[in-house]
Amino acid sequence: MSKSSPRAEIAYQALRQAIIEQALLPGAKLPEDQIGAHFGMSRTLARATLARLQAEGLVDARPKRTATVAQPTLEEARDIFEVRKALEREAVALTIKRWRPEYGAALEGHVREENAAKARRDDRVSIRLAGEFHIKLAAMSGNKVLQRALAELVSRCSLILALYGRPHSSECAVNEHSQIIAALRKKDIAGATRLMEEHVGSVERRALLADAPSADLDLDAVLSRYARTIEASNAAISLPVGRRKRSS
Amino acid sequence: MSKSSPRAEIAYQALRQAIIEQALLPGAKLPEDQIGAHFGMSRTLARATLARLQAEGLVDARPKRTATVAQPTLEEARDIFEVRKALEREAVALTIKRWRPEYGAALEGHVREENAAKARRDDRVSIRLAGEFHIKLAAMSGNKVLQRALAELVSRCSLILALYGRPHSSECAVNEHSQIIAALRKKDIAGATRLMEEHVGSVERRALLADAPSADLDLDAVLSRYARTIEASNAAISLPVGRRKRSS
DNA sequence: TGGGATTTGTTCGTATGTATT
DNA sequence: GAATACATACGAACAAATCCC
């Protein structure tokens, strides 16, 4: 793992968390000055952490422009889920090959945490733990490169959820995690990979359910979606027309 | 794709090429000043391109230390090949699903270039083209994220070859590429993925054949390897004993 | 083990480009 | 469309850490 300056490492982790937990929404500006000042480091290091986040696909940064939290396109979102599925399959297969009983206990402990967070309606922690389940499983594969790649993809999936999914919907159904653990315990590679594939597939469906972004990027689409809903439910209210984007 | 300043982009491509073609060997120093001066840009941008290369695993960079061309460990090398195999499988499957006849022609044209380079013993171009075959195939999958990830892994495999393989051995047996194309043409997913898996496997075997690094990192191992060879071939020459590493 | 050369990390002023009003 | 505010890019100079002999 490529190390960086201690303060830069803290900044990196903090920004990453904030983006994943949807405290910083896609499109939010990230000026070098501010994040440098906030974490008590120079712009040099602020730049470095932003570059790192950019390489992972969590921030967009073009020359001479302020960096922002990334806004992956729908196409990119689909691509990300596709690659994620392929790597999750690999992680499951490798983990089963070197399975140890402790692994099951560790994963089940994690699922208990997930349930606790769900129970107290702690959305932020729920989102984080849902992703961490997959990272822990990847770690058990014993392949650090795979673990890193999956961590990156899982983060980007959280970002996609923030962009296209319902606000604050957590990523995973916890019981699906339990089913996967059961299959791992039985060393059932075919079953476990199938369950994992279905699981990630259902996350994807939930994330990309909306045919248009939920953020105010496609004002027209959002408004017409609401219009449809309202019309269907009786059309009692007349909707003011928003400023139209010039058709390109 | 995250864009960067035009000059920084040139520097990035040039450094990447130089590393892949083994003109810059693993361990070579990459001072910010020098690469900045060489490409006519400030240290600010030099730093940015180094950060990018670091994120892709092509350079090592620790705080307060000069960046160097990366030296992946043997373990990391194995992990990289493992992940690469998983993604190559995916690329093959996706490409077959949206196969077009032009694809076959394009890939065969590429193989002709590879053969030409091999024929005129142009090692540098051979190494580059061998990798590019896999990138072109990944591009045909239609998945940009997959393409990027595979490009990164293929680069790192070239680096591994520079570290552990024979010097200037090109990465791929060209005829293996032709066999893969034939299977793609038949839309034979099972056959194509199997061929691809075997192909990458054989590259890996060639790359990691040596039980010790060929660079002067494990002086003892290198010396004893030579000693063995020489002894076997008659032991006419007495070998001076090199400086021994203190056993940790 | 020490000391000089090298290189990174920081700061400031200025210039240039972008976004907003 | 112009003017203004904002943020990044550059260059130089300096301190501190590291490398190398």
Side-chain angles (χ1 to χ4, degrees):
Chain A
M1 179 141 353
S2 48
K3 254 171 201 153
S4 61
S5 164
R7 267 173 293 180
E9 186 66 27
I10 292 173
Y12 165 75
Q13 297 289 354
L15 283 170
R16 189 170 176 280
Q17 281 273 1
I19 294 173
I20 290 173
E21 296 185 356
Q22 311 183 2
L24 285 173
L25 294 178
K29 297 216 284 189
L30 305 170
E32 299 170 354
D33 265 346
Q34 284 188 43
I35 70 176
H38 187 276
F39 293 103
M41 61 190 185
S42 66
R43 271 175 52 197
T44 306
L45 288 189
R47 208 180 252 272
T49 80
L50 284 175
R52 202 166 150 195
L53 290 165
Q54 182 189 7
E56 296 181 14
L58 291 183
V59 321
D60 289 338
R62 294 151 59 193
K64 286 278 188 184
R65 261 179 207 85
T66 309
T68 60
V69 177
Q71 296 174 319
T73 64
L74 256 182
E75 186 194 353
E76 200 177 358
R78 282 189 243 273
D79 288 354
I80 289 168
F81 271 102
E82 203 160 49
V83 176
R84 176 174 169 183
K85 272 186 246 174
L87 290 188
E88 294 268 16
R89 275 196 299 270
E90 187 70 12
V92 164
L94 290 177
T95 297
I96 287 183
K97 279 183 194 158
R98 56 206 298 280
W99 184 255
R100 290 152 149 251
E102 309 90 274
Y103 291 174
L107 290 177
E108 272 160 1
H110 186 90
V111 166
R112 272 193 293 278
E113 280 190 70
E114 288 189 70
N115 280 320
K118 268 273 201 296
R120 62 184 137 83
R121 301 257 189 282
D122 193 339
D123 288 330
R124 289 198 173 176
V125 174
S126 281
I127 293 175
R128 181 168 57 78
L129 290 177
E132 281 179 4
F133 174 84
H134 293 266
I135 307 306
K136 281 192 177 169
L137 204 160
M140 292 170 181
S141 76
N143 186 322
K144 293 254 175 59
V145 176
L146 177 60
Q147 182 185 348
R148 246 185 105 78
L150 257 177
E152 195 176 305
L153 290 169
V154 170
S155 308
R156 296 176 81 179
C157 287
S158 296
L159 188 64
I160 291 166
L161 215 81
L163 239 191
Y164 299 105
R166 313 229 166 128
H168 295 283
S169 66
S170 105
E171 197 192 325
C172 297
V174 180
N175 64 318
E176 293 177 348
H177 286 180
S178 297
Q179 292 174 10
I180 291 171
I181 297 174
L184 292 173
R185 271 237 162 81
K186 284 188 281 185
K187 298 197 163 202
D188 174 11
I189 293 189
T193 52
R194 184 179 49 77
L195 283 171
M196 177 60 88
E197 185 133 4
E198 288 174 5
H199 169 50
V200 176
S202 77
V203 173
E204 178 178 9
R205 246 173 289 123
R206 251 175 293 154
L208 304 182
L209 185 70
D211 41 345
S214 64
D216 44 342
L217 300 167
D218 263 36
L219 186 55
D220 277 338
V222 173
L223 286 182
S224 59
R225 190 148 52 100
Y226 275 110
R228 240 187 293 129
T229 307
I230 288 169
E231 278 170 3
S233 71
N234 255 2
I237 312 164
S238 75
L239 204 73
V241 178
R243 179 170 51 123
R244 275 202 177 261
K245 263 180 14 193
R246 212 179 348 206
S247 66
S248 59
Chain B
M1 181 142 347
S2 48
K3 253 171 204 154
S4 61
S5 162
R7 266 173 293 179
E9 186 66 26
I10 291 172
Y12 164 76
Q13 297 290 353
L15 284 170
R16 189 171 176 281
Q17 280 272 1
I19 294 173
I20 290 173
E21 295 186 357
Q22 312 184 2
L24 286 172
L25 294 178
K29 297 215 288 187
L30 305 169
E32 299 170 354
D33 264 346
Q34 284 188 44
I35 69 176
H38 188 277
F39 294 102
M41 61 191 184
S42 65
R43 269 175 57 196
T44 307
L45 287 190
R47 213 178 244 274
T49 82
L50 285 176
R52 201 166 152 194
L53 290 165
Q54 182 189 8
E56 295 180 15
L58 291 183
V59 321
D60 289 340
R62 297 151 59 194
K64 285 277 187 185
R65 259 175 210 89
T66 310
T68 60
V69 177
Q71 296 174 317
T73 64
L74 256 180
E75 187 194 353
E76 200 175 358
R78 283 189 242 273
D79 287 355
I80 288 168
F81 271 101
E82 203 160 49
V83 176
R84 175 174 169 184
K85 272 184 246 172
L87 291 188
E88 295 267 18
R89 276 196 299 268
E90 188 70 13
V92 165
L94 290 177
T95 297
I96 288 184
K97 281 183 193 157
R98 56 207 297 282
W99 183 255
R100 289 150 148 255
E102 308 92 275
Y103 291 175
L107 290 177
E108 272 161 2
H110 187 90
V111 167
R112 271 194 294 278
E113 280 190 69
E114 288 189 70
N115 280 322
K118 269 270 202 295
R120 62 185 135 84
R121 300 258 189 284
D122 193 340
D123 287 332
R124 289 199 172 176
V125 174
S126 282
I127 293 176
R128 180 167 58 77
L129 290 177
E132 281 179 5
F133 174 84
H134 293 266
I135 307 307
K136 280 192 178 168
L137 204 161
M140 293 171 181
S141 75
N143 186 324
K144 293 253 175 60
V145 176
L146 176 60
Q147 182 186 346
R148 244 185 107 78
L150 257 177
E152 195 177 305
L153 289 169
V154 170
S155 308
R156 295 175 82 179
C157 287
S158 297
L159 188 64
I160 291 167
L161 215 81
L163 238 191
Y164 298 105
R166 315 234 164 124
H168 295 283
S169 66
S170 104
E171 198 191 324
C172 296
V174 180
N175 64 319
E176 293 177 349
H177 285 180
S178 297
Q179 291 174 11
I180 291 171
I181 297 174
L184 292 174
R185 271 237 161 81
K186 284 188 281 184
K187 296 197 165 203
D188 173 10
I189 293 189
T193 53
R194 183 179 49 76
L195 283 171
M196 176 61 88
E197 185 133 4
E198 287 174 4
H199 169 51
V200 177
S202 78
V203 173
E204 178 178 9
R205 244 173 290 124
R206 250 174 294 154
L208 304 182
L209 186 70
D211 41 345
S214 63
D216 44 343
L217 299 166
D218 261 35
L219 185 56
D220 276 337
V222 173
L223 285 180
S224 59
R225 192 146 52 98
Y226 276 111
R228 240 186 293 128
T229 306
I230 289 169
E231 278 171 3
S233 72
N234 255 0
I237 311 164
S238 75
L239 204 72
V241 179
R243 178 169 50 122
R244 278 204 175 258
K245 258 174 31 185
R246 216 186 335 218
S247 65
S248 59

